Every structure is written in C-alpha cells, then in structure tokens.
Amino acid sequence: MLLQIRYPLLQSIRRLSSNKNQAIHRIIYSSSTNIWFNLATEEWLSKTIKPNEHILFLWQNDKCVIIGRNQNPWKECFLERMESDGVLLARRRSGGGAVYQDLGNTCFTFLISQANHKLDKNLNSKILLDALRSEFNIEARAEGRNDLVYGPQKRKFSGSAYQNTQQFALHHGTLITNVDTMAMKKYLNPNKEKLISKGVDSVQARVINLCEVNSSINHKDLCSAIEKSYRQTYSNDSIPPAKALSREVLDSIPELHAAYKLYSDPQWRFGQTFSFTHEYERRFPWGTISIGIVSERDGIIHTCEIYSDSLYVNMINRLKENFIGQIYTGESIRQVCQRTRDQVETEQEKSMIDDVQAWVLTQI
C-alpha cells in the first residue's frame, strides 16, 4: 500500500520537474510604427518576461535611423538631412551598426527568459529562412555573424543585433522587403573601409529588397509566414493566438511610458557618444572662418573656438559664447544662430550669421 502511494507521488514530482523547463510561447504584434515607442515596447516585454517564456515580437517602423548602443550619430548619419525630412533618430540598447528603416522593413524580436533556456541564434535564423522559403519561394542563407543574404553576390536583406542580461536574452533585426534604398544613401554615412571589405562601393550595392526576388512580398504576409514558421518549429508546445498590442493600451502602462520617454529623449539619442572634436573651415566673401567643436561624451558642446579674419569681432565672440553648452544638432545650431542674430546690430552681421548657419548645417 505504501508503494502504491509513493509511485503516483513520484510521477507527480517528475511531471512538475518536466514542466519547469517547458517553454511558454507568446506571439505579439505592434500596431505602432513609431520607432521610439516600439523600442520601449520591446524593453517593457524584456523586463516583464516570465521564467520559461519565449516571445516573438513583430513590428514595423516609419522613417528612422537606428544606431547601436555605442555609436556616434554625427559620424554614422547625416543629421541635418534627417531633421529636415522628419526622419527620427533612435538609439537601441544592443550593439551593431546604423540602419535606415521605413515601412519597407519588417522588424523581428526573439526574446527569451534565461532562467531555464538559452537563446539559439541559429534556430531563430532558420525560422526566418524557412518562412521565406515556404511562403515566398525565396532561397536564402545565413552569412557571417548576423546577416541573411541572397544570391551568389551575397546581397544582404537582414541584419541582427543582440542583448544579453541575467534575466533575458534578445535577438532582434530587420528584413528588407521594399525599403527606399536612395534614402539609405541620403541619411547614412557608412564607414568607407567597411564597404571596401565587403567588395562594394555603397550601401545600396550591398543590400537587396526581397520584393526584387518575389514582388508579392509585403509586411503583413511576411509576419504571417514568420508566425507560421515559429509555430511549426515549436510544434511540441501549445502556442496561444497572436496578440496585437495597441498604442492606447500600452500608453497606459507606466513602465512602458517611462521607457518611451527615455528613447525619445535627445540626451539618450545624442548623448551616449564618445568625446569627439569636429573642425571645419570656409572662405566667404567677407572673410575666412574656422570652427572647432569639442563634445565630451554627452553630445553637448563643451568647448567652441572660432577663428576668423572678419572685422566684426563682437559677432564672432557672441557666436562662440552661444555655442557652448548647446547640444550639437541642427535645431540647436539654428537656435544659436538666431539668438546671435538678435544680439547683433548691423545687417551685414546678420547676413554673415545666415552664411555661417547655412554652412554649419551642411557639416553636421
């Protein structure tokens, strides 16, 4: 009789032990196309993930440039052009390089709790590749550390980045379906040595839109294909229906709202940079002017030296004083020049400041 009691108890303990390591899956879609909000949603999901939980998060962004955790925005992209065209700058917490995104991209995030599981980057890539193969007849492959490529020329259509903490592991990236490749050239300032190492002379030459391979591909159908591939890969687990997160619901979550404030904050977007110096010189009809900007890690202009053979000494000094303490962005430069313009008296000085403003904005 004692053995009969113990045996069911042992089976129950084994079942509990087995369930402890069984993954719980969630598939989530974002209804927002704002990069700051989507990064905040991704962060909120990562901070609230439960033990044993696996999350597939699918999202899309309107026009933006996203830089890596430790990148310098003044080196990676043309900020003035972005500002003029309403292209948002975002900084993610993960590493990697700068990317341009618009509604011709599909973004993915594989997120797991590290309590009992480890992130399998190769398996995640297989899920994406299987989706392309089965639903769109696109034969592609993984290449290098974090790329997915197509064809003998290894043209890239997907790049990834990673983040690891004690609580979670995250693998996110983008699939290029029909991105504006001319915008890449307009807003990104790629490292020339990196392009040479890839055997190409521009970002456009290296990438390929998946619509060039299959014209029927689009964000909605691609997300459905990825979801289907994800479910097939984890067929041993019961995965509930996908859930769409609306902006209205997410706006009411205090932790997510705090994350959104961080990602949209200029101090985060521009300030997480190494100290740098920017020097440039120009000859105008009224004289030569040289400007030296020094920023120390936070994107703020800590030192500004202006040298000129212009006869208007006070104008030059006021301009230099107004630069110090300002964040090094196009809008800030406009404000500095407008403030200086209001402080000078002659029309000649105002015209000179207009010249300086137009010139400096092309250098950022």
Side-chain angles (χ1 to χ4, degrees):
M1 186 68 178
L2 186 61
L3 290 174
Q4 290 177 339
I5 295 174
R6 283 181 176 176
Y7 183 68
L9 181 61
L10 182 61
Q11 282 187 318
S12 177
I13 291 172
R14 283 174 177 170
R15 280 197 300 270
L16 288 172
S17 176
S18 175
N19 289 339
K20 179 182 178 183
N21 291 318
Q22 185 175 359
I24 301 168
H25 294 271
R26 281 201 293 160
I27 301 173
I28 297 172
Y29 289 84
S30 173
S31 62
S32 173
T33 58
N34 179 283
I35 177 58
W36 302 332
F37 194 82
N38 282 329
L39 286 175
T41 301
E42 184 184 65
E43 180 163 312
W44 171 69
L45 289 171
S46 68
K47 288 185 175 180
T48 57
I49 192 168
K50 299 178 178 63
N52 298 332
E53 198 167 39
H54 288 204
I55 295 175
L56 171 63
F57 177 44
L58 297 170
W59 40 301
Q60 187 181 37
N61 300 309
D62 211 338
K63 296 186 296 181
C64 61
V65 170
I66 311 169
I67 60 175
R69 177 65 175 83
N70 295 312
Q71 287 193 294
N72 184 337
W74 288 275
K75 286 187 63 177
E76 301 298 333
C77 45
F78 298 106
L79 293 171
E80 171 60 18
R81 297 174 187 175
M82 291 168 55
E83 194 171 329
S84 297
D85 296 347
V87 178
L88 299 182
L89 174 71
R91 182 189 297 278
R92 58 182 182 269
R93 289 193 184 274
S94 58
V99 294
Y100 168 77
Q101 291 187 12
D102 57 25
L103 296 179
N105 289 263
T106 293
C107 298
F108 61 86
T109 301
F110 295 95
L111 179 64
I112 70 166
S113 165
Q114 298 215 104
N116 297 294
H117 301 273
K118 295 296 179 185
L119 186 72
D120 190 338
K121 302 171 186 175
N122 294 330
L123 182 60
N124 296 341
S125 295
K126 183 178 183 301
I127 290 171
L128 300 173
L129 293 171
D130 286 350
L132 293 173
R133 183 183 303 109
S134 61
E135 300 299 319
F136 303 101
N137 197 30
I138 297 176
E139 293 286 344
R141 63 189 183 279
E143 180 78 17
R145 293 184 305 165
N146 56 1
D147 294 346
L148 300 182
V149 300
Y150 176 82
Q153 295 179 324
K154 301 179 181 179
R155 294 181 68 188
K156 176 179 175 178
F157 63 86
S158 176
S160 299
Y162 311 98
Q163 184 183 1
N164 273 284
T165 72
Q166 290 184 338
Q167 181 185 1
F168 67 86
L170 178 150
H171 169 199
H172 62 183
T174 181
L175 296 162
I176 301 173
T177 56
N178 192 16
V179 70
D180 182 357
T181 56
M182 293 305 295
M184 290 182 177
K185 181 178 181 180
K186 184 176 183 181
Y187 304 123
L188 296 181
N189 183 28
N191 184 292
K192 302 300 186 293
E193 291 184 4
K194 183 176 181 180
L195 290 177
I196 291 171
S197 73
K198 300 293 182 181
V200 296
D201 58 3
S202 69
V203 174
Q204 302 104 298
R206 192 187 171 205
V207 304
I208 185 171
N209 271 310
L210 290 175
C211 67
E212 298 176 42
V213 186
N214 185 331
S215 60
S216 69
I217 197 166
N218 58 67
H219 174 70
K220 181 179 178 181
D221 291 342
L222 180 55
C223 286
S224 297
I226 296 171
E227 178 183 341
K228 180 180 178 181
S229 179
Y230 184 86
R231 291 180 181 277
Q232 289 174 344
T233 299
Y234 295 103
S235 57
N236 292 331
D237 298 300
S238 176
I239 304 178
K243 183 178 181 180
L245 296 179
S246 69
R247 178 72 183 257
E248 292 73 24
V249 170
L250 295 174
D251 263 335
S252 65
I253 301 171
E255 296 87 353
L256 195 148
H257 185 67
Y260 173 78
K261 287 182 66 177
L262 168 71
Y263 283 110
S264 60
D265 188 346
Q267 188 65 30
W268 166 260
R269 294 184 292 127
F270 294 100
Q272 303 295 315
T273 61
F274 299 109
S275 61
F276 65 90
T277 300
H278 198 170
E279 301 177 12
Y280 33 95
E281 184 176 270
R282 172 79 183 269
R283 174 71 183 174
F284 291 97
W286 44 263
T288 299
I289 183 169
S290 300
I291 299 179
I293 299 291
V294 177
S295 174
E296 298 176 2
R297 282 192 169 272
D298 54 7
I300 301 295
I301 300 172
H302 290 268
T303 304
C304 176
E305 294 293 342
I306 302 179
Y307 301 100
S308 177
D309 57 6
S310 164
L311 298 176
Y312 294 92
V313 175
N314 289 337
M315 183 271 291
I316 297 296
N317 288 338
R318 286 185 180 277
L319 191 62
K320 180 171 67 173
E321 292 169 0
N322 289 336
F323 265 115
I324 295 174
Q326 303 303 310
I327 192 167
Y328 194 33
T329 66
E331 181 57 33
S332 183
I333 297 304
R334 288 191 188 91
Q335 293 176 7
V336 165
C337 290
Q338 185 59 54
R339 188 180 310 120
T340 309
R341 206 176 189 279
D342 293 340
Q343 292 170 342
V344 299
E345 298 179 357
T346 70
E347 289 302 317
Q348 176 63 26
E349 289 173 297
K350 295 181 188 297
S351 177
M352 291 165 63
I353 292 170
D354 291 340
D355 289 342
V356 171
Q357 173 180 313
W359 165 57
V360 171
L361 290 177
T362 65
Q363 304 300 307
I364 299 178

